[in-house]
Amino acid sequence: MEKFVIIGGKKLSGEVEISGAKNSVLALMPATLLASGTYKIYNTPDLRDVKTMSQVLIEIGVNVNFENHILTINTENVSKYEAPYELVKKMRASIYVLGPLVGRFGYAKVSLPGGCAWGPRPVDLHIEGIKKLGAEVELDSGYIVARAKKLHGAKIHFDKPSVGATGNVMMASVLAKGITLIENAAKEPEIVQLGEFLISMGAKITGLGTDTIEIEGVDELKPADVTTIPDRIEAGTFLIAGAITGGKVKIKKCNPKHFEAVLLKLEDAGCYLNVGDDFVEIEAPDEIKPVDVTTAVYPGFPTDMQAQWIALMSIANGTSVVTETIFYDRFKHVPELVRLGADIEVNENVAIVRGVRKLKGAKVMSTDLRASASLILAGLVAEGKTEVLRIYHIDRGYERIEEKLQRLGAQIWREKTDEY
Ligand code: EPZ
C-alpha cells in the first residue's frame, strides 16, 4: 500500500500541464469495438482506470499497447463478448462495452458494476436504452446478458441525463437499422468527443452537445485516430490547488470552455483569473470568499468538482452551502476533512461549510477518487503534516499528481505503508 505525506503551508506557484480526459478516453476505448482494425488514441492519460479498461478489452480479444501517452488498439481478433465481474467491480465504466458489443456482435455479457441494476450503482437507463433498440436483456446471477439479431432505431427519452447511458446507447445505435433519437441526452464534452469520434469512423450523428442526439444507423464503420480532449476535472482541481494555498498557478494544455462554471465560481470566491485559449492563470486573493454551489449536469458546476470545492470553502471567510444533485451519497470526504479541522455539517444532499481560520494536519483516508483530491488539497494548506491513506483511489484518475504538485512547490511525497 502507499500513502501521501504532505507538509502544508506552501503557496503553490509555477506551471502545470493538464493530461487527457479520463472520462473521454474511457468511452473512446470501447468504441473501437465497433469496427475491426487499428486505432491510435493520442494524449491518453497514464491512469489506473485506463489500465483497467485495457484489461477489459484484452479479455475480449483486443490488442492494446500504451506508450508515450498513445494507445494503439487493434480489434481484428475480437473473440469474446464478455466483461467479467473481477474487472467491472474495479471500474464502473467497464459497462461501456455493453453498447458496442450488442450493437456490432448481437451479444454481450457484462457484469453489473455492483449492487443491482436499480441501485446503489444503477444501470437501469443503460438497460432500458438498449432494450428500446431491440435487444433482449436478462439479468443472470450478477450479469447483464443482452442478445439481438439486429438492433433497430428507436426514440429513447432518459428521465435524467446520464453520461454513461447516453454513451452506451449512442454506441449501440450507430450500426442499428434506422434512426435513433436520444432525448434528454448528456451534453458533457466527453460525450461530444465520443460522438465526434464515431462520426470520424463513419457514423451519422447530429445534435451532439444538445438535449437531443439523432443517430442514423449505417452498415459498417472503419477505424480512426483521435486525440483525447484535456481533463476538465484535473484542470479545476489544480486551479483550486493554487487558490487554497494562496498561490499563483498557470494550468496549460486545457480547454477553459469545458469548465466555465468552475471559473465563474472561482472568480466569485475572489480569485484573479487570466483565461487564454488553452491555459488559465489563477492568483489567490488574501481571503477566499464563501460561495454557494449546486452541482448540475453540464454545463453546470460538475459533481466531480464538488469535493474539491468543499475543501476550498473549508478555509473561506464565512459560511457556504454546497448542494449535490447528481449522486445521493457523495460526501464521504466530509468526515475526513473534519479530521483536518474543517467545520462541515451534512444534511441529506446539502453540506453547510463554515470556513475556519486554519486546518491542522492529520492522518486521513481516501474513500474515492475525487474525495482523495479534496483531502490532498486540504493537506496542502493544513498546518503541519497530513498523511493520506489508500491513494490507489487517486491514481485511478490523476496522472502522478504528486509529481505535478511538487513542480508547483508542494511538499508532498509518496511513501510505502502497511497502514490502510
Ligand atoms: C460519469 O459517470 C463519470 N464517469 C463520473 O465521473 C461523473 O461523476 C458522472 O458521469 C456525472 O457527471 C465516467 O464518465 C467514466 P451518470 P456515470 O450516468 O456515467 C444515475 C469521476 O470522478 N443513473 O451521468 O456513471 C446515477 O446514479 C467519475 O471521474 C441512474 O439512475 O454517471 C447518478 O445519480 C465519478 N441509472 C446520475 O444518474 C443509470 O442507468 C448521473 O449518473 C445510470 C445513472
Side-chain angles (χ1 to χ4, degrees):
M1 285 287 186
E2 293 179 313
K3 66 183 174 184
F4 279 147
V5 179
I6 305 168
I7 306 297
K10 293 272 293 176
K11 292 179 186 295
L12 299 194
S13 67
E15 301 185 348
V16 63
E17 286 196 355
I18 299 304
S19 301
K22 166 176 86 78
N23 293 346
S24 186
V25 76
L26 291 180
L28 298 172
M29 292 172 76
T32 64
L33 292 167
L34 286 162
S36 173
T38 302
Y39 301 73
K40 285 199 182 300
I41 303 181
Y42 297 95
N43 196 33
T44 296
D46 185 5
L47 305 171
R48 280 166 55 94
D49 274 6
V50 171
K51 290 185 179 64
T52 303
M53 184 59 88
S54 300
Q55 288 169 334
V56 171
L57 293 179
I58 288 164
E59 181 78 18
I60 292 172
V62 178
N63 194 296
V64 184
N65 181 277
F66 180 75
E67 211 170 327
N68 292 333
H69 294 97
I70 301 169
L71 267 176
T72 304
I73 291 177
N74 181 286
T75 56
E76 287 164 347
N77 300 316
V78 167
S79 53
K80 224 171 99 181
Y81 311 120
E82 299 193 13
Y85 174 65
E86 294 67 30
L87 289 173
V88 178
K89 75 177 179 182
K90 282 165 70 176
M91 184 184 65
R92 172 186 166 79
S94 311
I95 193 161
Y96 266 142
V97 301
L98 176 65
L101 286 176
V102 74
R104 179 163 171 233
F105 302 101
Y107 178 76
K109 181 176 179 184
V110 179
S111 168
L112 285 167
C116 73
W118 285 266
R121 312 293 312 272
V123 288
D124 55 313
L125 299 175
H126 297 246
I127 292 172
E128 293 313 310
I130 59 164
K131 271 182 170 171
K132 283 263 174 61
L133 296 171
E136 296 288 318
V137 180
E138 55 174 339
L139 299 178
D140 176 17
S141 48
Y143 278 80
I144 304 164
V145 182
R147 290 183 179 81
K149 278 193 190 42
K150 175 79 179 161
L151 292 182
H152 57 69
K155 185 172 181 177
I156 293 159
H157 181 94
F158 285 132
D159 293 349
K160 60 176 91 169
S162 155
V163 172
T166 301
N168 240 334
V169 167
M170 196 158 59
M171 289 192 278
S173 66
V174 288
L175 294 170
K177 198 163 177 48
I179 304 275
T180 296
L181 268 184
I182 305 176
E183 292 182 338
N184 206 11
K187 298 184 267 196
E188 275 67 8
E190 295 77 23
I191 291 298
V192 172
Q193 171 152 60
L194 172 63
E196 289 169 347
F197 178 49
L198 293 169
I199 290 169
S200 73
M201 291 168 64
K204 289 184 181 160
I205 304 173
T206 54
L208 290 169
T210 74
D211 295 319
T212 304
I213 299 176
E214 179 172 310
I215 302 106
E216 183 185 343
V218 294
D219 292 337
E220 69 172 331
L221 297 173
K222 56 191 185 328
D225 296 343
V226 62
T227 299
T228 311
I229 57 173
D231 194 309
R232 59 196 169 99
I233 306 301
E234 185 194 22
T237 304
F238 275 95
L239 287 175
I240 291 186
I244 202 170
T245 59
K248 185 174 179 187
V249 166
K250 180 174 185 180
I251 62 168
K252 303 184 347 181
K253 287 181 71 181
C254 64
N255 183 342
K257 289 191 189 62
H258 289 165
F259 49 97
E260 283 177 349
V262 176
L263 295 177
L264 289 171
K265 289 294 181 182
L266 285 166
E267 278 178 347
D268 292 348
C271 298
Y272 306 100
L273 297 179
N274 172 20
V275 182
D277 289 340
D278 63 352
F279 72 86
V280 176
E281 281 174 304
I282 186 166
E283 185 165 1
D286 294 338
E287 277 192 338
I288 296 288
K289 295 194 196 104
V291 175
D292 297 350
V293 154
T294 299
T295 64
V297 296
Y298 193 83
F301 191 93
T303 173
D304 293 349
M305 283 297 300
Q306 176 257 100
Q308 300 92 309
W309 190 259
I310 286 187
L312 180 63
M313 289 298 106
S314 66
I315 53 131
N317 176 21
T319 299
S320 59
V321 176
V322 179
T323 307
E324 173 58 62
T325 68
I326 306 294
F327 290 99
Y328 69 91
D329 65 350
R330 204 175 189 177
F331 285 123
K332 293 196 178 59
H333 42 288
V334 168
E336 299 302 310
L337 288 171
V338 169
R339 283 179 51 72
L340 294 170
D343 178 354
I344 310 169
E345 192 189 320
V346 171
N347 212 332
E348 307 224 333
N349 69 328
V350 177
I352 313 278
V353 188
R354 293 179 187 82
V356 294
R357 302 266 341 122
K358 67 172 184 300
L359 299 174
K360 276 182 71 53
K363 200 172 279 188
V364 290
M365 189 173 74
S366 296
T367 50
D368 59 73
L369 169 57
R370 305 305 173 182
S372 316
S374 81
L375 297 177
I376 290 169
L377 292 169
L380 290 174
V381 68
E383 200 176 62
K385 181 165 85 167
T386 295
E387 293 180 275
V388 182
L389 303 177
R390 299 190 181 181
I391 54 170
Y392 56 85
H393 288 293
I394 195 94
D395 291 329
R396 292 189 51 175
Y398 290 90
E399 186 172 346
R400 285 189 285 284
I401 192 169
E402 79 276 20
E403 290 175 20
K404 291 192 177 186
L405 287 169
Q406 285 161 0
R407 279 204 286 281
L408 295 174
Q411 287 191 281
I412 177 173
W413 60 92
R414 196 181 281 252
E415 268 185 20
K416 289 251 177 290
T417 177
D418 47 17
E419 286 179 279
Y420 71 94

